[in-house]
Amino acid sequence: MSKEILKKKKTAKVAITNDVSADLISLAEKARELNISFLQEAPIVVPDTLNIIPEDISRQNKIVAFERIEKTVKIGIMDPQNINALNILRFISEKKEFNFELYLISEEIFQKIVQQYEGGAEEAIEEAMGSLQIDTGEGQLKDDEDDIGEAGAMQSAPVTKLLSVVIRHAIDGNASDIHIEPYGAKEYRVRFRVDGVLYASLSIPKEVGRAVVSRIKILSNLKIDEKRKPQDGRFKIKEDKHTVDFRVSTLPVIDGEKVVLRLLDTGHSVIDLDSMGLMGKGKEILLRNIKEPFGVILMTGPTGSGKSTTLYACLDILNKEERNIITLEDPVEYSISGINQSQINPEIGYTFASGLRSILRQDPNVIMVGEIRDSETAELTIHAALTGHLVLSTLHTNSSIGAIPRLIDMGIEAFLLASSLRVVGAQRLVRRICHECKQEVEMSTTIMEYIRGLVETLPKEEVAKYGLNLTDGLHVYKGGGCEECGNTGYKGRIAIFEALEIDGDMKEIISQHNGSESEVQNHAEKNGMISIKQDGLLKVLLGLTTLEEVERVTEGSKSIGGEVEDD
């Protein structure tokens, strides 16, 4: 930027009324000290002026263009001493031959102006289409996507803006995953996974989709020209003063490449067991056993069922000064002060197995291993428990009972497993009924009798632990759909849970019957274990979720107890 652009003004153009707040007065004084102007009210900005600075760059650096007269542009800036922001303005100024006048603005004014970005996917797609040059022979993009410096970011600004729009919509919509995939011969489809369910967001032309995939690859340090085999990477962005990590996976498919981005918001605090929805006997078993000095506690379930979050909640309870807690994760999803968290890196040979060997030399009390993936990790986990450590980990099985034969199949001796295993939990996530549009609904007699029969088989003291009052009959609810929940009837998720405790009799079954699934099942039922489906149905009666949701994520069909209509 030329000296004229950033030179200090001789007089500050600050107009302060008698009723201006103390914060505004403070900002006005700061502007006066810096000899720059102060913007007191948010103006209405025309899109052409606003888009002089791309939205993602504006939000990241807290700078915004709000007025333009020919080649003179007024720029609002929250921190006039931000070197990175000034360098970006210098680059734009030299590239587009603008003269910039700086105005100090507050956070409130900045937010009001950036909200005026159209930010619509349609405009971003049109802009991206206009900027891309397609080789009609090979159909490949000519854009130089290799330059990821300031110039590269600006040259590909339309594609960057489109990706920024997609990411921001995903974050605002509390999506856990973004799917960008070829859809037919001419389009790419963008879908968000919200509360465990995929929703289509938008469709974009194929050439734009390819450019977006290339941009994601650049951000993730992946090979742009490698389209024949899957690749994995990651990148992070700062959004509203907290960091969001993205785990990226690419997959070659028939019409191009599919990309999935997993969102990991490291700024979120650890969720506790109550917030997750753990109740009754299952919660009591888990809490009782995590306070033991040694043993193995396993969480099972499919990908995305909240296993790691439950273990984090347990670690948060155990996080005391007298305990040395170390974790091995891939990746580190939550950062917890006071816990030593280590991220594995298989590319350099730092795996769960090798990391676990190193951890055992670090004098730990509690160890969390992100996942038992192979027999070596399983064996080391068991031996760590047998040598006086409490080990928490996850395993991919469909039920808590299925974890025992699975570990034996992985080569663990039955007598060692019986000696070390304390609890196996199983978990699923179901969508919560939206609190704003929750309403009672009538169910068919067949379904109500089915639920009643199941509840009556449970001990009354167990039902009481859930806070259920069944004296006035059974009641079920659903969400009617409102603006708050996007007319889905659901908002947020809650866990349904079961916990299999390894008592003396269960140890004998594991040792003598090699963990026979039928023997374990019979003993668990005899001991009154609340199954994952029973836990779910009790939460249906509490009005936390719906029968359809419980049936969706547990074994069995929706015809159990009578036909259940889809939403």
Side-chain angles (χ1 to χ4, degrees):
M1 184 182 297
S2 63
K3 292 182 179 179
E4 288 76 19
I5 299 172
L6 292 178
K7 70 178 181 179
K8 294 181 179 179
K9 294 182 175 291
K10 293 182 179 179
T11 57
K13 300 176 182 178
V14 182
I16 305 176
T17 58
N18 292 330
D19 58 346
V20 175
S21 69
D23 288 341
L24 287 180
I25 293 174
S26 176
L27 283 172
E29 289 175 351
K30 181 179 178 180
R32 186 181 292 112
E33 290 172 4
L34 295 170
N35 266 341
I36 64 172
S37 301
F38 173 59
L39 185 65
Q40 190 173 326
E41 294 182 359
I44 302 299
V45 187
V46 297
D48 286 347
T49 300
L50 202 59
N51 290 324
I52 289 173
I53 301 175
E55 185 180 2
D56 59 326
I57 294 176
S58 171
R59 288 181 181 273
Q60 186 174 351
N61 296 279
K62 305 296 185 182
I63 51 177
V64 64
F66 63 88
E67 186 177 322
R68 175 185 174 184
I69 302 174
E70 296 181 348
K71 285 292 184 178
T72 300
V73 180
K74 296 181 179 179
I75 301 292
I77 184 168
M78 285 187 58
D79 181 6
Q81 296 171 318
N82 183 335
I83 301 301
N84 190 51
L86 295 177
N87 284 339
I88 290 172
L89 292 176
R90 180 180 293 109
F91 174 80
I92 298 173
S93 172
E94 292 174 355
K95 182 178 176 65
K96 299 188 177 182
E97 299 181 351
F98 285 138
N99 295 321
F100 289 147
E101 292 183 5
L102 297 184
Y103 283 70
L104 182 64
I105 58 175
S106 65
E107 172 74 27
E108 181 182 3
I109 297 298
F110 173 76
Q111 292 298 337
K112 286 182 179 179
I113 296 177
V114 294
Q115 285 175 6
Q116 297 179 45
Y117 276 99
E118 293 186 23
E122 295 80 6
E123 292 81 1
I125 292 170
E126 290 177 7
E127 193 174 349
M129 282 292 294
S131 72
L132 295 176
Q133 297 177 351
I134 309 299
D135 183 338
T136 56
E138 297 294 329
Q140 298 297 318
L141 296 174
K142 285 186 176 179
D143 285 352
D144 181 9
E145 294 285 341
D146 294 325
D147 184 0
I148 58 172
E150 290 178 345
M154 291 305 301
Q155 287 171 0
S156 58
V159 173
T160 302
K161 178 181 177 183
L162 177 57
L163 179 58
S164 176
V165 168
V166 170
I167 288 174
R168 185 158 293 111
H169 285 180
I171 293 172
D172 291 344
N174 294 318
S176 61
D177 301 87
I178 304 172
H179 292 239
I180 302 173
E181 58 202 347
Y183 188 63
K186 297 182 179 180
E187 289 183 332
Y188 264 68
R189 178 174 63 175
V190 179
R191 292 189 291 172
F192 297 153
R193 188 177 294 279
V194 180
D195 292 339
V197 178
L198 277 171
Y199 296 96
S201 175
L202 74 153
S203 295
I204 55 180
K206 194 164 189 175
E207 51 270 28
V208 177
R210 286 174 176 167
V212 171
V213 170
S214 293
R215 174 58 54 192
I216 293 171
K217 283 183 169 183
I218 288 172
L219 293 171
S220 311
N221 291 319
L222 302 180
K223 296 179 181 178
I224 303 172
D225 56 348
E226 180 55 80
K227 301 180 180 179
R228 299 169 299 170
K229 65 181 182 181
Q231 298 185 74
D232 294 305
R234 60 192 57 181
F235 67 93
K236 63 177 63 178
I237 66 169
K238 287 188 176 180
E239 179 74 16
D240 295 333
K241 297 182 180 180
H242 63 268
T243 301
V244 181
D245 287 342
F246 292 84
R247 211 167 23 170
V248 179
S249 172
T250 70
L251 180 72
V253 293
I254 292 176
D255 294 314
E257 280 186 288
K258 174 182 171 69
V259 177
V260 175
L261 293 83
R262 166 65 59 90
L263 283 70
L264 303 170
D265 192 341
T266 57
H268 282 177
S269 58
V270 176
I271 300 173
D272 58 48
L273 296 178
D274 290 331
S275 300
M276 290 198 65
L278 269 63
M279 301 177 180
K281 188 175 183 179
K283 179 184 174 184
E284 290 175 356
I285 290 172
L286 186 61
L287 287 174
R288 182 166 63 246
N289 283 275
I290 64 172
K291 295 174 183 176
E292 296 294 334
F294 61 88
V296 177
I297 294 175
L298 285 179
M299 285 297 302
T300 69
T303 301
S305 59
K307 303 184 297 295
S308 297
T309 305
T310 300
L311 292 186
Y312 275 119
C314 293
L315 290 180
D316 200 42
I317 294 170
L318 296 172
N319 189 11
K320 307 294 181 186
E321 186 177 343
E322 62 269 18
R323 292 192 184 96
N324 178 20
I325 303 176
I326 306 178
T327 73
L328 271 179
E329 305 175 56
D330 182 27
V332 175
E333 297 185 25
Y334 296 94
S335 179
I336 308 176
S337 178
I339 294 179
N340 305 286
Q341 297 172 269
S342 182
Q343 183 163 314
I344 69 166
N345 188 351
E347 293 179 3
I348 60 172
Y350 185 40
T351 62
F352 282 122
S354 64
L356 191 48
R357 286 194 188 90
S358 300
I359 281 178
L360 291 174
R361 295 191 288 271
Q362 289 281 319
D363 186 32
N365 299 108
V366 181
I367 301 169
M368 185 183 98
V369 180
E371 183 182 344
I372 297 177
R373 295 178 177 173
D374 51 52
S375 56
E376 187 180 11
T377 307
E379 186 178 350
L380 287 166
T381 298
I382 297 300
H383 282 290
L386 291 172
T387 52
H389 304 91
L390 182 65
V391 186
L392 286 69
S393 191
T394 69
L395 187 68
H396 284 282
T397 61
N398 288 326
S399 67
S400 57
I401 291 167
I404 295 171
R406 172 73 188 280
L407 287 169
I408 292 174
D409 287 343
M410 293 175 90
I412 304 300
E413 295 287 349
F415 71 94
L416 292 178
L417 186 60
S419 301
S420 58
L421 197 59
R422 287 193 176 276
V423 176
V424 184
Q427 184 171 304
R428 301 289 188 277
L429 293 178
V430 293
R431 291 181 290 175
R432 282 180 181 266
I433 297 174
C434 174
H435 182 72
E436 296 296 325
C437 57
K438 177 180 173 180
Q439 57 191 29
E440 187 173 353
V441 294
E442 290 187 8
M443 302 293 281
S444 69
T445 305
T446 308
I447 293 177
M448 294 306 289
E449 288 301 319
Y450 163 69
I451 296 176
R452 189 187 306 277
L454 182 139
V455 172
E456 288 176 353
T457 62
L458 298 175
K460 290 184 178 179
E461 60 270 18
E462 290 302 322
V463 176
K465 289 175 183 176
Y466 283 74
L468 262 176
N469 181 9
L470 303 179
T471 55
D472 59 344
L474 305 180
H475 303 276
V476 292
Y477 304 84
K478 70 179 297 184
C482 64
E483 185 177 344
E484 184 71 19
C485 62
N487 293 314
T488 62
Y490 299 100
K491 187 171 183 183
R493 288 190 288 179
I494 189 173
I496 56 175
F497 183 79
E498 68 181 22
L500 175 67
E501 190 167 26
I502 312 301
D503 57 14
D505 291 337
M506 188 69 77
K507 290 177 188 290
E508 190 173 333
I509 291 171
I510 295 172
S511 298
Q512 296 184 0
H513 299 274
N514 245 10
S516 166
E517 198 161 340
S518 59
E519 293 284 343
V520 173
Q521 178 81 49
N522 290 337
H523 180 71
E525 290 177 356
K526 189 186 300 183
N527 271 14
M529 183 182 89
I530 306 296
S531 73
I532 198 168
K533 177 164 279 189
Q534 291 171 327
D535 181 64
L537 290 174
L538 288 170
K539 286 167 182 171
V540 168
L541 296 177
L542 281 171
L544 298 174
T545 188
T546 63
L547 181 60
E548 291 89 343
E549 276 295 290
V550 174
E551 293 291 335
R552 179 176 68 85
V553 302
T554 57
E555 291 183 87
S557 68
K558 289 187 178 180
S559 61
I560 291 179
E563 291 295 332
V564 178
E565 295 181 358
D566 287 325
D567 290 338

